[in-house]
């Protein structure tokens, strides 16, 4: 799972994110991982689609306070 990978908004659209994803994918291939998944926001989903990721019909839920 790729989690919390981001690029400073002032530095986006320079290929940094694509380079980071390529590096992560290379490491996952080295470890013989069968697949990769990523947590995204609605705003970043387009970037991840361009990287070859598909949307899955699942829900991610969180309970923010465990009191």
């Amino acid at each position: 799972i790729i989690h919390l990978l981001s690029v400073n908004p002032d530095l986006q659209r320079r290929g940094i994110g694509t380079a980071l994803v390529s590096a992560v994918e290379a490491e996952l291939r080295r470890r013989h991982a069968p697949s990769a998944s990523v947590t995204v926001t609605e705003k970043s989903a387009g970037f991840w689609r361009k990287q070859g990721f598909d949307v899955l019909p699942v829900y991610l839920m969180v309970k923010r306070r465990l009191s």
Side-chain angles (χ1 to χ4, degrees), residues 7 11-23 47 51:
V7 175
L11 301 174
Q12 291 177 356
R13 301 197 180 274
R14 298 181 186 189
I16 298 167
T18 298
L20 289 170
V21 173
S22 293
F47 167 81
Q51 303 306 309

Side-chain angles (χ1 to χ4, degrees), residues 38-55:
V38 62
T39 54
V40 304
T41 63
E42 189 173 339
K43 185 177 178 182
S44 68
F47 167 81
W48 291 101
R49 282 189 191 100
K50 289 178 185 174
Q51 303 306 309
F53 286 77
D54 297 316
V55 176

Side-chain angles (χ1 to χ4, degrees), residues 55-61:
V55 176
L56 295 176
V58 298
Y59 294 96
L60 175 64
M61 300 177 77

